[in-house]
């Protein structure tokens, strides 16, 4: 399934939705508020080990930034998910730095999902702030040097399918790296790495190139980790790693170049979002913005 005709079909299926579902759905996303929210969340994680009070101040700032960003996000499920994640991040301050970091990783995944969806739409409409949008995309997806230059070139040429391909490939690489760093053990390191993998998969969950890989599977693994189900976690990690490898292989080659297409109208809500359900709830991740585990795994 990873080579030849089948691989090419998966690549086309996984990327063609970009122009069909997103072009023309651009909204004036508040990039300044987005950056402020990202900086405040990341800052809370950085200072938590030294001062819970300083971390709380960062989360207060994150709440204000979210209030400014929310009206400019087209997907209200993401807005709800971010508000829930911010609340869980506050609750995590009373527990451990690792739990706060895990909650922030899930929130950052939702943020990048919104940025990914709306940026592709905005680039299709060629707004005045395209340069700012591209700068934020390259920063958020960790693209530097030649990778950043290639993304910019494709965007300016109107090759949205290639822009999507580059961003998806970057996200999947991060999912894979985080999964490889996750061990089938109830440790804080595994907890944070699995949350990081979940956050990055959230961004690309709608891609048909993901094959059988589902966000609910990441939620299952998080529940197994926090409950100490080592056997179940071992099996889940194997499934997630294999699925991510197939996903990456379908993205090994760029989509064929097609002429830039004019923007067309789409529903304002954007693509649906699924996030992992709270461990122990019995839910399988169904379109309701989900949550990270409410318990902290044992330390290494």
């Amino acid at each position: 399934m990873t080579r030849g005709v089948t691989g090419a079909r998966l690549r086309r299926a996984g990327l063609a939705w970009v122009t069909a579902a997103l072009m023309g759905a651009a909204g004036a996303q508040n990039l300044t508020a987005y950056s402020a929210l990202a900086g405040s969340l990341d800052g809370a994680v950085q200072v938590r080990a030294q001062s819970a009070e300083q971390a709380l101040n960062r989360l207060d700032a994150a709440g204000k930034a979210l209030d400014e960003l929310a009206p400019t996000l087209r997907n209200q499920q993401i807005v709800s998910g971010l508000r829930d994640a911010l609340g869980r991040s506050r609750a995590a301050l009373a527990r451990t730095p690792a739990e706060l970091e895990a909650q922030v990783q899930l929130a950052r995944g939702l943020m990048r999902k919104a940025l990914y969806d709306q940026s592709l739409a905005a680039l299709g409409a060629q707004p005045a702030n395209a340069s700012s949008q591209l700068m934020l995309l390259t920063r958020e997806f960790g693209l530097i040097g030649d990778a950043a230059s290639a993304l910019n070139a494709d965007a300016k040429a109107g090759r949205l399918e290639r822009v999507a391909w580059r961003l998806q490939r970057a996200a999947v690489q991060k999912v894979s790296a985080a999964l490889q760093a996750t061990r089938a053990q109830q440790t804080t390191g595994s907890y944070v790495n699995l949350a990081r993998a979940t956050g990055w998969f959230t961004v690309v969950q709608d891609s048909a190139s993901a094959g059988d890989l589902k966000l609910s599977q990441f939620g299952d693994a998080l529940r197994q980790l926090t409950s100490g189900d080592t056997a179940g976690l071992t099996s889940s990690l194997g499934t997630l790693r294999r699925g991510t490898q197939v996903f990456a292989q379908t993205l090994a080659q760029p989509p064929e170049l097609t002429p830039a297409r004019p923007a067309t109208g789409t529903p304002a809500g954007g693509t649906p979002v699924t996030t992992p359900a709270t461990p122990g709830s019995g839910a399988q991740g169904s379109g309701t913005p989900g949550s990270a585990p409410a318990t902290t795994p044992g330390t290494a």
Side-chain angles (χ1 to χ4, degrees):
M1 188 170 85
T2 61
R3 300 293 181 190
V5 174
T6 302
R9 286 175 177 169
L10 280 173
R11 285 193 296 274
R12 287 194 294 270
L15 296 167
W17 64 271
V18 173
T19 52
L22 295 175
M23 285 180 67
Q29 188 171 171
N30 188 331
L31 303 185
T32 299
Y34 183 103
S35 295
L37 177 57
S40 295
L41 288 174
D42 293 345
V45 173
Q46 292 169 2
V47 303
R48 171 59 182 88
Q50 289 74 42
S51 171
E53 182 179 0
Q54 290 184 32
L56 180 59
N57 290 337
R58 300 292 199 283
L59 293 179
D60 286 342
K64 294 178 181 177
L66 179 55
D67 287 341
E68 295 180 8
L69 176 64
T72 70
L73 296 182
R74 304 188 71 88
N75 193 319
Q76 290 304 299
Q77 285 184 307
I78 288 180
V79 174
S80 296
L82 284 172
R83 294 199 186 282
D84 289 345
L86 188 56
R88 292 191 303 272
S89 295
R90 289 177 177 277
L93 287 175
R95 295 188 283 271
T96 68
E99 184 159 0
L100 173 62
E101 185 174 1
Q103 299 291 350
V104 166
Q105 289 293 337
L106 295 175
R108 296 289 275 116
L110 286 169
M111 289 176 62
R112 292 186 179 105
K113 168 65 175 168
L115 180 68
Y116 174 82
D117 285 356
Q118 286 186 235
S119 292
L120 287 167
L123 292 170
Q126 299 182 344
N129 69 336
S131 295
S132 298
Q133 203 93 29
L134 287 169
M135 287 178 62
L136 186 55
L137 278 172
T138 54
R139 187 188 77 194
E140 283 289 88
F141 283 75
L143 299 177
I144 59 175
D146 291 343
S149 297
L151 182 78
N152 277 271
D154 281 334
K156 291 175 181 178
R159 297 190 289 261
L160 293 190
E161 290 183 3
R162 288 216 173 191
V163 172
W165 168 72
R166 293 186 189 282
L167 295 174
Q168 285 190 30
R169 189 171 61 166
V172 172
Q173 288 171 348
K174 289 176 171 56
V175 174
S176 179
L179 287 175
Q180 290 303 318
T182 303
R183 299 291 175 261
Q185 301 170 353
Q186 195 179 35
T187 66
T188 54
S190 290
Y191 179 49
V192 171
N193 281 313
L194 188 53
R196 181 177 293 111
T198 304
W200 276 106
F201 185 75
T202 298
V203 181
V204 293
Q205 62 177 292
D206 299 314
S207 173
S209 294
D212 295 329
L213 199 59
K214 306 297 181 186
L215 197 57
S216 61
Q217 295 170 306
F218 287 82
D220 291 341
L222 282 167
R223 284 191 292 274
Q224 290 159 348
L225 190 154
T226 56
S227 67
D229 181 4
T230 303
L233 179 59
T234 299
S235 177
S236 291
L237 286 176
T239 298
L240 293 174
R241 288 167 180 158
R242 288 189 296 272
T244 301
Q245 183 178 24
V246 172
F247 196 172
Q249 288 172 336
T250 64
L251 298 172
Q253 298 297 323
E256 296 177 2
L257 288 175
T258 56
R261 284 169 282 187
T264 56
T266 64
T271 54
V273 173
T274 301
T275 50
T278 305
S281 68
Q284 292 297 315
S286 62
T288 301
S291 59
T295 57
T296 304
T299 57

